[in-house]
Amino acid sequence: MKYKLVSDAVVKRLPKYRRYLKQLKENNVSRISSGELADKMNLTASQIRQDLNNFGGFGQQGYGYSVDNLHDEISNILGMNKEYSAVMVGCGRLGEALANFLKNYEPNIKIDAICDIRTDFHGKEVVGVKIMNKQEFDAYLDSNKADIAILTVPPETLSEVVELLTAHDIKGIWNFGLTDLEIKGVAVSNVHLSDSLQSLIYYINHPE
Amino acid sequence: MKYKLVSDAVVKRLPKYRRYLKQLKENNVSRISSGELADKMNLTASQIRQDLNNFGGFGQQGYGYSVDNLHDEISNILGMNKEYSAVMVGCGRLGEALANFLKNYEPNIKIDAICDIRTDFHGKEVVGVKIMNKQEFDAYLDSNKADIAILTVPPETLSEVVELLTAHDIKGIWNFGLTDLEIKGVAVSNVHLSDSLQSLIYYINHPE
């Protein structure tokens, strides 16, 4: 299913909806109005209705949203109801932390191969996956399909790694490589950890 | 200096401006038009002018922005020209990765104390800082001023840690604790690592 006119801002909010709805589910809330959901999420009720109307609505006038249903719908829209095979390139401290984070919190994204060029890392296991050298990783990609690549390599290695992955038809890249990637035909999330810290520092210096 | 009407969206974009301007500086670009900067950042020229007008402008009609000057101005606006004393609570894999990330890339945020309740972590050093137990950490906070707390504790520990920190007048919390915090008088950035991954998965499933 295609939703042609959905803005990046809406797509960025979908995981947040999913998180809040999951929390409501865990607290045994079965139904919520857009007003209540808006209060929880620091949005306006009209913004929530607009956001969800991009995907067909889901609410009933005067009756609100079914929490279970809306959670599942948003998971479906995101594609989080499916499993993905991921590979990780670069597995220092951050890579290891991310691998464990996914294993604990997003088990539908399964890391099936890990590569690091540092020889002292080879053979070591992270989340039960043995770290490969470049040659082993090339061979892995030749005979396995990977959906998502998680990159924690330094900026100077990034282009070489991207070349290898795109040659193997990777669909998405979760990029912690500090340099923004933009690749035709490949979905990319460029993550800059310190952006949220810098915004925090702004608010420390400019309290409301 | 106060900028009263600056929206969260603008504050979130400031670190991105700073990153791009730093890159331009490194490439010895000294002057850039809002159009060129817009192209690089996937924004519109008018959005850039509007964003920067929140803080007084900085451009000259028909002449563009001085890269050096704009970089420094944005650093000043964010408060990234100053030093901050940070404490870290929870220092597993993610905490260690974040501590090393800051040490390498944002040296003005200095981690001066680290606490973890796991006894086998006590005395171990991360970025040259010895991991404290709770008692040592309490004593540290009693006699030192901390600006920022970096939290990588599990959700069930979060409220206790927040109570301790707010009692010691913490100004800002960079929260990786998976549960959103909202604390009166304290700046908070709630970070959810997998949000950007879920957006990525959306784009994999809905290619343009």
Side-chain angles (χ1 to χ4, degrees):
Chain A
M1 185 144 180
K2 287 229 176 189
Y3 313 101
K4 282 239 163 173
L5 296 162
V6 181
S7 75
D8 286 354
V10 174
V11 174
K12 274 195 185 151
R13 275 196 291 276
L14 290 176
K16 191 174 171 186
Y17 282 109
R18 187 165 169 260
R19 265 192 279 118
Y20 277 77
L21 289 161
K22 188 164 171 253
Q23 242 173 56
L24 290 168
K25 272 178 72 162
E26 284 165 3
N27 295 330
N28 297 314
V29 178
S30 63
R31 195 156 278 282
I32 193 163
S33 68
S34 51
E36 290 167 307
L37 190 57
D39 277 353
K40 278 202 168 291
M41 293 185 61
N42 279 325
L43 297 169
T44 66
S46 125
Q47 195 172 18
I48 287 189
R49 282 191 299 267
Q50 273 178 41
D51 281 0
L52 299 180
N53 277 339
N54 280 297
F55 310 102
F58 317 120
Q60 277 173 270
Q61 193 76 43
Y63 195 59
Y65 299 103
S66 151
V67 170
D68 248 7
N69 180 51
L70 188 55
H71 175 271
D72 293 349
E73 290 281 5
I74 288 178
S75 294
N76 289 353
I77 291 165
L78 282 166
M80 287 296 284
N81 55 332
K82 292 188 276 182
E83 299 218 331
Y84 299 90
S85 173
V87 296
M88 175 174 272
V89 186
C91 196
R93 291 183 189 93
L94 181 59
E96 209 177 323
L98 292 172
N100 278 279
F101 173 83
L102 291 184
K103 195 185 171 190
N104 291 326
Y105 299 107
E106 306 293 353
N108 63 319
I109 296 131
K110 206 169 158 287
I111 296 181
D112 291 316
I114 302 177
C115 174
D116 199 299
I117 54 166
R118 289 167 283 195
T119 49
D120 51 326
F121 282 47
H122 299 152
K124 186 184 150 192
E125 278 196 12
V126 170
V127 294
V129 179
K130 212 174 264 181
I131 299 181
M132 297 173 179
N133 63 30
K134 197 179 167 307
Q135 201 182 342
E136 293 166 320
F137 187 58
D138 283 356
Y140 174 86
L141 290 175
D142 283 339
S143 49
N144 294 276
K145 216 176 137 32
D147 301 307
I148 296 169
I150 303 162
L151 306 187
T152 66
V153 295
E156 59 272 21
T157 320
L158 207 49
S159 63
E160 186 192 340
V161 172
V162 166
E163 207 171 307
L164 174 69
L165 292 166
T166 50
H168 287 88
D169 295 323
I170 199 82
K171 292 179 201 156
I173 295 180
W174 200 26
N175 174 30
F176 291 81
L178 297 171
T179 303
D180 283 0
L181 295 173
E182 203 183 332
I183 308 161
K184 216 176 136 56
V186 181
V188 178
S189 270
N190 297 301
V191 185
H192 295 274
L193 286 171
S194 78
D195 279 13
S196 59
L197 178 60
Q198 293 183 42
S199 300
L200 174 68
I201 285 174
Y202 176 90
Y203 288 113
I204 289 177
N205 285 286
H206 306 282
E208 276 166 54
Chain B
M1 187 148 180
K2 287 230 177 189
Y3 312 101
K4 282 239 164 175
L5 296 162
V6 181
S7 74
D8 286 355
V10 174
V11 174
K12 274 195 186 153
R13 274 197 292 275
L14 290 176
K16 191 174 170 184
Y17 282 108
R18 186 166 170 260
R19 265 193 280 119
Y20 277 77
L21 290 161
K22 187 163 172 254
Q23 242 174 53
L24 289 168
K25 271 178 72 163
E26 284 164 3
N27 294 330
N28 297 313
V29 178
S30 63
R31 195 157 278 283
I32 192 163
S33 68
S34 51
E36 290 167 308
L37 190 57
D39 276 352
K40 278 201 168 293
M41 293 186 61
N42 280 325
L43 296 170
T44 65
S46 123
Q47 196 172 17
I48 288 189
R49 283 191 298 269
Q50 272 179 41
D51 281 0
L52 299 180
N53 277 339
N54 280 297
F55 309 102
F58 316 120
Q60 278 173 270
Q61 193 77 42
Y63 195 59
Y65 299 103
S66 151
V67 169
D68 247 8
N69 179 51
L70 188 55
H71 175 271
D72 292 351
E73 292 280 6
I74 288 178
S75 293
N76 288 353
I77 291 165
L78 281 166
M80 286 297 283
N81 56 332
K82 291 189 277 182
E83 300 219 330
Y84 300 90
S85 174
V87 296
M88 176 174 271
V89 187
C91 196
R93 292 183 190 92
L94 181 59
E96 210 177 323
L98 292 172
N100 279 279
F101 174 83
L102 291 184
K103 194 184 172 192
N104 291 327
Y105 299 106
E106 307 293 355
N108 63 318
I109 296 131
K110 205 168 159 290
I111 297 181
D112 291 316
I114 301 177
C115 174
D116 199 299
I117 55 166
R118 290 168 282 196
T119 49
D120 51 326
F121 282 47
H122 298 152
K124 185 184 149 191
E125 277 196 13
V126 169
V127 294
V129 180
K130 212 174 264 183
I131 298 181
M132 299 173 178
N133 63 30
K134 198 178 166 312
Q135 200 181 344
E136 293 165 319
F137 187 59
D138 283 356
Y140 174 87
L141 290 175
D142 283 339
S143 49
N144 294 276
K145 217 177 136 32
D147 300 308
I148 296 169
I150 303 162
L151 306 187
T152 66
V153 295
E156 59 272 20
T157 320
L158 208 49
S159 64
E160 186 192 340
V161 172
V162 166
E163 207 172 305
L164 174 69
L165 292 166
T166 49
H168 287 88
D169 294 322
I170 199 82
K171 292 179 200 158
I173 295 179
W174 199 26
N175 175 30
F176 290 81
L178 297 171
T179 303
D180 284 359
L181 295 173
E182 203 182 333
I183 308 160
K184 218 177 135 55
V186 180
V188 178
S189 270
N190 297 301
V191 185
H192 295 273
L193 285 171
S194 78
D195 279 13
S196 58
L197 178 60
Q198 294 183 43
S199 299
L200 173 68
I201 285 173
Y202 175 90
Y203 287 113
I204 289 176
N205 285 286
H206 307 282
E208 276 168 53

